[in-house]
Structures are given as C-alpha cells and as structure tokens.
Amino acid sequence: MLIGGERIDNVVDMASRWNVEGLIIIGYNEEQYHQLSRKLNKKMVLIDAYPKGGYSFQNVGVDDYSGGYQIGEYLYSCGYHRALFVAETEQEKNGGFCSRSRYVVVPQEPRRRLKKYEELLPHFLETKALAFSSDYTAVEAIHFFTDKGIRIPDQISITGFDDNFYAQIVRPKLT
C-alpha cells in the first residue's frame, strides 16, 4: 500500500482493513512516523525521511550530507570561500563546508521566504554564491534576484540540490 499525506487514523484503518504486509510512506515527518509505528505493527519503507530512535524501517532517500559536502567543495574550488547554504529547515544534512555561520534558514511559506531574501540581499551579494537545499528554491531565488536587476551568475552564483525538472528549464542555468 502506498500512503501519502493521510491522517494517521485513516492509514491505520486502511492498512488494517486491507491486511497489508507493509506500507510505503511519503511525506510524513518524524512525529507522524512514530505515531504510525506505535499504532500499526507493519513493515514500512519511508521515502526521503530520517526519523530517529529505536524504530525499524527502510528508507529510500538522498544522501543529503554527501550532496551538501560536494556542493560546498565545488563552490570552494571555484573560489567562493564564503558561500552560504540556504534551507527551509534546521534539519538539513548539508555537509562539512557549512558551519552554522554559513547556514541560513528561510521560511517555508513562499511570501515570507521572499521577504527574508529581501532582508538578506546585501549579505547574499557579499558572499557571491548560494547553495539552496532544493532546485525549486534556487530557481525562486534566481527569479527574485533577476527581478532586482542582479545578474546571475555575474554578481551571484546559485546552485540547487535535486537536479529536478526546475533545474532543466531555468535560464540562466543553476551553477
């Protein structure tokens, strides 16, 4: 059974009625996973989730730590020694290049995130390179900077993390 975004009680009810042997879980945070684990004794595969504790699960995900490290190494090798990592969560596993002082948390809600970009604009331009935790937010930032008359990549380099559809169609390309 493939489950995404359902309430825990609905999942327990469906899985029990269908007597499934296991579940594939998408889009659940740690607390939701723990609740489901306590209520339902089924094998689970989580997609890109990393709950802590003594729970048994399989995870299909991205090696965020290694990817973040590779982005940092690449930017550093290009001469961007003050690059920032920009994410929508405190829990990113962003790699060794990114100390707390180089890690910027922005709001998840788009309007508030753009407001934060505005607030941080001088700092962003000073660092000359930003690594975003997703291609979506990287593309959003490219649009933000372009609307402000800032030239990408001449004035600031932008990279994302996913290599998804957005990265394939945006102009200028992600760094």
Side-chain angles (χ1 to χ4, degrees):
M1 179 173 281
L2 178 63
I3 303 288
E6 291 286 331
R7 290 177 2 135
I8 300 297
D9 292 336
N10 291 350
V11 174
V12 171
D13 183 51
M14 283 188 290
S16 298
R17 273 189 284 134
W18 285 88
N19 195 27
V20 297
E21 288 190 39
L23 302 140
I24 298 172
I25 307 294
I26 300 171
Y28 273 26
N29 64 30
E30 184 173 344
E31 180 56 32
Q32 291 169 312
Y33 166 73
H34 290 313
Q35 287 176 6
L36 188 57
S37 264
R38 286 189 296 266
K39 292 182 177 188
L40 192 63
N41 187 21
K42 302 285 182 184
K43 295 176 184 172
M44 292 183 227
V45 174
L46 285 85
I47 306 296
D48 206 22
Y50 307 92
K52 299 173 187 132
Y55 295 89
S56 174
F57 65 91
Q58 295 294 317
N59 181 48
V60 177
V62 176
D63 184 355
D64 294 332
Y65 185 86
S66 176
Y69 182 81
Q70 290 173 43
I71 288 171
E73 288 292 307
Y74 173 73
L75 291 174
Y76 194 86
S77 75
C78 291
Y80 298 113
H81 298 219
R82 298 177 63 206
L84 298 173
F85 189 84
V86 182
E88 298 171 57
T89 176
E90 296 270 355
Q91 297 176 357
E92 293 292 330
K93 296 177 182 171
N94 52 55
F97 94 98
C98 193
S99 65
R100 278 312 296 162
S101 65
R102 297 198 189 289
Y103 190 85
V104 177
V105 178
V106 293
Q108 290 184 356
E109 196 271 315
R111 234 181 319 222
R112 291 182 44 230
R113 192 168 49 247
L114 291 174
K115 201 173 193 178
K116 187 72 169 180
Y117 294 163
E118 182 76 43
E119 175 187 317
L120 294 170
L121 185 58
H123 187 50
F124 285 169
L125 290 171
E126 187 180 292
T127 62
K128 304 214 183 290
L130 302 174
F132 284 82
S133 63
S134 74
D135 287 344
Y136 177 84
T137 52
V139 170
E140 175 185 72
I142 285 175
H143 288 263
F144 170 82
F145 288 120
T146 301
D147 290 348
K148 297 288 179 189
I150 296 162
R151 295 178 319 279
I152 314 288
D154 299 333
Q155 290 179 277
I156 190 165
S157 289
I158 306 283
T159 188
F161 188 90
D162 296 325
D163 196 26
N164 68 20
F165 176 72
Y166 299 109
Q168 304 304 312
I169 64 170
V170 68
R171 294 290 181 268
K173 289 268 192 199
L174 293 174
T175 298

